[in-house]
Amino acid sequence: MAHQHMTEMLDLDAEVLHDFHREVISWAGELVPATGTARIVDLGAGTGTGTLALARQLPAAEIVAVDVDEEMLEHLRRRAGGAGNIRTMQADLDGEWPALGPADLVWASASMHHLTDPGRALRQIHDLLRPGGAVLITELESFPRFLHNAAEDRGHAEMDRMRHEAGMHMHEDWGALLRKAGFETRERRFDIELRPPLPASAARYAEVTLHRMRDRLADRLSPADLAALAAPAADDLTIRTTRLVWSGVKPS
Ligand SMILES: C[S@@+](CC[C@H](N)C(=O)[O-])C[C@H]1O[C@@H](n2cnc3c(N)ncnc32)[C@H](O)[C@@H]1O
């Protein structure tokens, strides 16, 4: 069930925050060569929201979607519907990396923070890129908020603590790490605020995200706070989240 929520949440994130996703995908389009078949690697591809959007934006590209989780990759393959230019590869990026290069673009959305050794991962990315190739890293500066109340603040503080305890690299300075690995960088910040009226998918996104939060915090929040983490009515719903995106270009 937890897995199912995660899968649905990732798909809804792409649907509800489509303007943001479209902007980053079009940035990706500017980073690959204008002619020929671009080779793209999606690291920690999950349900494939990035893979599929990249395939739509760059129909001539060949894309390899990598993830440790075979269930996610199966979901991705189903969504890709047998598209010949998309391959999946199951691999644990904390271990030995499979041969993924040479690539023109590496896409890593909300996945780098999971890796045990970010510096090592960036060196591997640098190695697999062609000279002039680029990496785009997206991370969540703040997770989506729907309620804007004290219970939600406490819930997020607790989730942050859990991620920290699990060793995740949530608030890394990816720009500095990219430069250390030899990349030329650019950073963009997206402060997203979606106001009512919002579509039904947005209400579902709030419901699934808050449900997952209640599950994960069942032992860590008071019953009153847990009860307060209930999705608001759709016509009351405002969604706020901040995403940071870094590009790193490997000098030619
Ligand atoms: C938050 S999801 C992001 C998925 C997708 N990139 C997106 O933006 O919707 C993080 C993904 O990274 C994958 N992941 C975590 N640790 C990994 C590892 N060591 N090797 C490969 N993939 C990993 C997870 O299985 C999950 O699918």
PDB file of all heavy atoms in Angstrom, residues 81-103:
ATOM      1  N   GLY A  81       4.247   2.047 -22.786  1.00  0.00           N
ATOM      2  CA  GLY A  81       3.496   1.309 -23.800  1.00  0.00           C
ATOM      3  C   GLY A  81       4.368   0.783 -24.920  1.00  0.00           C
ATOM      4  O   GLY A  81       3.978   0.804 -26.082  1.00  0.00           O
ATOM      5  N   GLY A  82       5.565   0.316 -24.573  1.00  0.00           N
ATOM      6  CA  GLY A  82       6.417  -0.331 -25.579  1.00  0.00           C
ATOM      7  C   GLY A  82       7.149   0.645 -26.492  1.00  0.00           C
ATOM      8  O   GLY A  82       7.651   0.228 -27.532  1.00  0.00           O
ATOM      9  N   ALA A  83       7.197   1.925 -26.117  1.00  0.00           N
ATOM     10  CA  ALA A  83       7.928   2.900 -26.952  1.00  0.00           C
ATOM     11  C   ALA A  83       9.371   2.409 -27.154  1.00  0.00           C
ATOM     12  O   ALA A  83      10.082   2.126 -26.184  1.00  0.00           O
ATOM     13  CB  ALA A  83       7.923   4.271 -26.291  1.00  0.00           C
ATOM     14  N   GLY A  84       9.771   2.289 -28.409  1.00  0.00           N
ATOM     15  CA  GLY A  84      11.055   1.670 -28.749  1.00  0.00           C
ATOM     16  C   GLY A  84      12.262   2.460 -28.287  1.00  0.00           C
ATOM     17  O   GLY A  84      13.355   1.916 -28.143  1.00  0.00           O
ATOM     18  N   ASN A  85      12.093   3.763 -28.033  1.00  0.00           N
ATOM     19  CA  ASN A  85      13.266   4.573 -27.671  1.00  0.00           C
ATOM     20  C   ASN A  85      13.475   4.648 -26.156  1.00  0.00           C
ATOM     21  O   ASN A  85      14.316   5.395 -25.678  1.00  0.00           O
ATOM     22  CB  ASN A  85      13.141   5.981 -28.274  1.00  0.00           C
ATOM     23  CG  ASN A  85      11.891   6.692 -27.787  1.00  0.00           C
ATOM     24  OD1 ASN A  85      10.915   6.054 -27.396  1.00  0.00           O
ATOM     25  ND2 ASN A  85      11.940   8.009 -27.798  1.00  0.00           N
ATOM     26  N   ILE A  86      12.659   3.885 -25.385  1.00  0.00           N
ATOM     27  CA  ILE A  86      12.817   3.898 -23.916  1.00  0.00           C
ATOM     28  C   ILE A  86      13.220   2.500 -23.447  1.00  0.00           C
ATOM     29  O   ILE A  86      12.551   1.515 -23.762  1.00  0.00           O
ATOM     30  CB  ILE A  86      11.502   4.310 -23.234  1.00  0.00           C
ATOM     31  CG1 ILE A  86      11.152   5.757 -23.592  1.00  0.00           C
ATOM     32  CG2 ILE A  86      11.591   4.127 -21.720  1.00  0.00           C
ATOM     33  CD1 ILE A  86       9.825   6.222 -23.028  1.00  0.00           C
ATOM     34  N   ARG A  87      14.338   2.437 -22.705  1.00  0.00           N
ATOM     35  CA  ARG A  87      14.763   1.168 -22.089  1.00  0.00           C
ATOM     36  C   ARG A  87      14.800   1.357 -20.591  1.00  0.00           C
ATOM     37  O   ARG A  87      15.045   2.472 -20.119  1.00  0.00           O
ATOM     38  CB  ARG A  87      16.190   0.831 -22.534  1.00  0.00           C
ATOM     39  CG  ARG A  87      16.263   0.043 -23.830  1.00  0.00           C
ATOM     40  CD  ARG A  87      17.657  -0.522 -24.044  1.00  0.00           C
ATOM     41  NE  ARG A  87      18.729   0.452 -23.946  1.00  0.00           N
ATOM     42  CZ  ARG A  87      19.858   0.261 -23.243  1.00  0.00           C
ATOM     43  NH1 ARG A  87      20.048  -0.836 -22.539  1.00  0.00           N
ATOM     44  NH2 ARG A  87      20.807   1.191 -23.230  1.00  0.00           N
ATOM     45  N   THR A  88      14.586   0.284 -19.850  1.00  0.00           N
ATOM     46  CA  THR A  88      14.741   0.394 -18.400  1.00  0.00           C
ATOM     47  C   THR A  88      15.921  -0.477 -17.968  1.00  0.00           C
ATOM     48  O   THR A  88      16.247  -1.459 -18.629  1.00  0.00           O
ATOM     49  CB  THR A  88      13.472  -0.082 -17.651  1.00  0.00           C
ATOM     50  OG1 THR A  88      13.199  -1.431 -18.003  1.00  0.00           O
ATOM     51  CG2 THR A  88      12.270   0.786 -17.965  1.00  0.00           C
ATOM     52  N   MET A  89      16.528  -0.069 -16.851  1.00  0.00           N
ATOM     53  CA  MET A  89      17.646  -0.833 -16.321  1.00  0.00           C
ATOM     54  C   MET A  89      17.566  -0.818 -14.791  1.00  0.00           C
ATOM     55  O   MET A  89      17.519   0.260 -14.188  1.00  0.00           O
ATOM     56  CB  MET A  89      18.960  -0.190 -16.780  1.00  0.00           C
ATOM     57  CG  MET A  89      20.142  -1.114 -16.627  1.00  0.00           C
ATOM     58  SD  MET A  89      21.653  -0.306 -17.142  1.00  0.00           S
ATOM     59  CE  MET A  89      21.537  -0.429 -18.906  1.00  0.00           C
ATOM     60  N   GLN A  90      17.504  -1.993 -14.213  1.00  0.00           N
ATOM     61  CA  GLN A  90      17.454  -2.065 -12.755  1.00  0.00           C
ATOM     62  C   GLN A  90      18.881  -2.028 -12.226  1.00  0.00           C
ATOM     63  O   GLN A  90      19.720  -2.836 -12.648  1.00  0.00           O
ATOM     64  CB  GLN A  90      16.731  -3.366 -12.340  1.00  0.00           C
ATOM     65  CG  GLN A  90      16.271  -3.411 -10.898  1.00  0.00           C
ATOM     66  CD  GLN A  90      17.320  -3.992  -9.970  1.00  0.00           C
ATOM     67  OE1 GLN A  90      18.160  -4.763 -10.399  1.00  0.00           O
ATOM     68  NE2 GLN A  90      17.270  -3.614  -8.713  1.00  0.00           N
ATOM     69  N   ALA A  91      19.183  -1.080 -11.353  1.00  0.00           N
ATOM     70  CA  ALA A  91      20.530  -0.996 -10.785  1.00  0.00           C
ATOM     71  C   ALA A  91      20.484  -0.206  -9.486  1.00  0.00           C
ATOM     72  O   ALA A  91      19.714   0.749  -9.353  1.00  0.00           O
ATOM     73  CB  ALA A  91      21.478  -0.306 -11.763  1.00  0.00           C
ATOM     74  N   ASP A  92      21.326  -0.623  -8.547  1.00  0.00           N
ATOM     75  CA  ASP A  92      21.487   0.127  -7.295  1.00  0.00           C
ATOM     76  C   ASP A  92      22.654   1.089  -7.495  1.00  0.00           C
ATOM     77  O   ASP A  92      23.812   0.660  -7.595  1.00  0.00           O
ATOM     78  CB  ASP A  92      21.766  -0.851  -6.146  1.00  0.00           C
ATOM     79  CG  ASP A  92      21.953  -0.127  -4.828  1.00  0.00           C
ATOM     80  OD1 ASP A  92      21.953   1.132  -4.815  1.00  0.00           O
ATOM     81  OD2 ASP A  92      22.099  -0.806  -3.797  1.00  0.00           O
ATOM     82  N   LEU A  93      22.358   2.368  -7.539  1.00  0.00           N
ATOM     83  CA  LEU A  93      23.400   3.355  -7.845  1.00  0.00           C
ATOM     84  C   LEU A  93      24.328   3.600  -6.662  1.00  0.00           C
ATOM     85  O   LEU A  93      25.297   4.350  -6.786  1.00  0.00           O
ATOM     86  CB  LEU A  93      22.751   4.658  -8.329  1.00  0.00           C
ATOM     87  CG  LEU A  93      21.956   4.496  -9.634  1.00  0.00           C
ATOM     88  CD1 LEU A  93      21.100   5.743  -9.901  1.00  0.00           C
ATOM     89  CD2 LEU A  93      22.881   4.225 -10.825  1.00  0.00           C
ATOM     90  N   ASP A  94      24.046   2.964  -5.532  1.00  0.00           N
ATOM     91  CA  ASP A  94      25.004   2.996  -4.423  1.00  0.00           C
ATOM     92  C   ASP A  94      26.075   1.924  -4.612  1.00  0.00           C
ATOM     93  O   ASP A  94      27.077   1.920  -3.898  1.00  0.00           O
ATOM     94  CB  ASP A  94      24.292   2.767  -3.080  1.00  0.00           C
ATOM     95  CG  ASP A  94      23.621   4.037  -2.605  1.00  0.00           C
ATOM     96  OD1 ASP A  94      24.101   5.127  -2.955  1.00  0.00           O
ATOM     97  OD2 ASP A  94      22.604   3.926  -1.895  1.00  0.00           O
ATOM     98  N   GLY A  95      25.831   0.994  -5.530  1.00  0.00           N
ATOM     99  CA  GLY A  95      26.816  -0.054  -5.798  1.00  0.00           C
ATOM    100  C   GLY A  95      27.558   0.244  -7.090  1.00  0.00           C
ATOM    101  O   GLY A  95      27.724   1.403  -7.485  1.00  0.00           O
ATOM    102  N   GLU A  96      28.000  -0.833  -7.722  1.00  0.00           N
ATOM    103  CA  GLU A  96      28.707  -0.715  -9.007  1.00  0.00           C
ATOM    104  C   GLU A  96      27.741  -0.177 -10.063  1.00  0.00           C
ATOM    105  O   GLU A  96      26.631  -0.701 -10.196  1.00  0.00           O
ATOM    106  CB  GLU A  96      29.164  -2.139  -9.393  1.00  0.00           C
ATOM    107  CG  GLU A  96      30.208  -2.222 -10.469  1.00  0.00           C
ATOM    108  CD  GLU A  96      31.564  -1.710  -9.981  1.00  0.00           C
ATOM    109  OE1 GLU A  96      31.854  -1.800  -8.765  1.00  0.00           O
ATOM    110  OE2 GLU A  96      32.285  -1.210 -10.835  1.00  0.00           O
ATOM    111  N   TRP A  97      28.104   0.867 -10.809  1.00  0.00           N
ATOM    112  CA  TRP A  97      27.199   1.392 -11.846  1.00  0.00           C
ATOM    113  C   TRP A  97      27.309   0.548 -13.114  1.00  0.00           C
ATOM    114  O   TRP A  97      28.435   0.180 -13.521  1.00  0.00           O
ATOM    115  CB  TRP A  97      27.540   2.857 -12.182  1.00  0.00           C
ATOM    116  CG  TRP A  97      27.035   3.833 -11.166  1.00  0.00           C
ATOM    117  CD1 TRP A  97      26.956   3.634  -9.820  1.00  0.00           C
ATOM    118  CD2 TRP A  97      26.535   5.153 -11.401  1.00  0.00           C
ATOM    119  NE1 TRP A  97      26.448   4.762  -9.195  1.00  0.00           N
ATOM    120  CE2 TRP A  97      26.189   5.704 -10.152  1.00  0.00           C
ATOM    121  CE3 TRP A  97      26.367   5.937 -12.541  1.00  0.00           C
ATOM    122  CZ2 TRP A  97      25.664   6.985 -10.009  1.00  0.00           C
ATOM    123  CZ3 TRP A  97      25.850   7.218 -12.412  1.00  0.00           C
ATOM    124  CH2 TRP A  97      25.502   7.733 -11.153  1.00  0.00           C
ATOM    125  N   PRO A  98      26.183   0.259 -13.756  1.00  0.00           N
ATOM    126  CA  PRO A  98      26.257  -0.421 -15.055  1.00  0.00           C
ATOM    127  C   PRO A  98      26.817   0.543 -16.101  1.00  0.00           C
ATOM    128  O   PRO A  98      26.917   1.742 -15.844  1.00  0.00           O
ATOM    129  CB  PRO A  98      24.788  -0.750 -15.360  1.00  0.00           C
ATOM    130  CG  PRO A  98      24.005   0.231 -14.568  1.00  0.00           C
ATOM    131  CD  PRO A  98      24.817   0.595 -13.360  1.00  0.00           C
ATOM    132  N   ALA A  99      27.188   0.022 -17.265  1.00  0.00           N
ATOM    133  CA  ALA A  99      27.678   0.897 -18.342  1.00  0.00           C
ATOM    134  C   ALA A  99      26.496   1.701 -18.871  1.00  0.00           C
ATOM    135  O   ALA A  99      25.560   1.128 -19.423  1.00  0.00           O
ATOM    136  CB  ALA A  99      28.292   0.054 -19.445  1.00  0.00           C
ATOM    137  N   LEU A 100      26.506   3.025 -18.666  1.00  0.00           N
ATOM    138  CA  LEU A 100      25.360   3.863 -19.062  1.00  0.00           C
ATOM    139  C   LEU A 100      25.732   4.877 -20.134  1.00  0.00           C
ATOM    140  O   LEU A 100      24.860   5.475 -20.753  1.00  0.00           O
ATOM    141  CB  LEU A 100      24.808   4.605 -17.838  1.00  0.00           C
ATOM    142  CG  LEU A 100      24.159   3.745 -16.750  1.00  0.00           C
ATOM    143  CD1 LEU A 100      23.924   4.555 -15.479  1.00  0.00           C
ATOM    144  CD2 LEU A 100      22.847   3.166 -17.254  1.00  0.00           C
ATOM    145  N   GLY A 101      27.022   5.080 -20.346  1.00  0.00           N
ATOM    146  CA  GLY A 101      27.455   6.123 -21.279  1.00  0.00           C
ATOM    147  C   GLY A 101      27.744   5.578 -22.653  1.00  0.00           C
ATOM    148  O   GLY A 101      27.600   4.374 -22.871  1.00  0.00           O
ATOM    149  N   PRO A 102      28.157   6.437 -23.573  1.00  0.00           N
ATOM    150  CA  PRO A 102      28.231   7.885 -23.380  1.00  0.00           C
ATOM    151  C   PRO A 102      26.845   8.519 -23.531  1.00  0.00           C
ATOM    152  O   PRO A 102      26.057   8.078 -24.356  1.00  0.00           O
ATOM    153  CB  PRO A 102      29.151   8.342 -24.514  1.00  0.00           C
ATOM    154  CG  PRO A 102      28.971   7.310 -25.597  1.00  0.00           C
ATOM    155  CD  PRO A 102      28.620   6.027 -24.914  1.00  0.00           C
ATOM    156  N   ALA A 103      26.584   9.541 -22.714  1.00  0.00           N
ATOM    157  CA  ALA A 103      25.272  10.193 -22.745  1.00  0.00           C
ATOM    158  C   ALA A 103      25.436  11.681 -23.020  1.00  0.00           C
ATOM    159  O   ALA A 103      26.474  12.277 -22.717  1.00  0.00           O
ATOM    160  CB  ALA A 103      24.566   9.989 -21.414  1.00  0.00           C
TER     161      ALA A 103
END
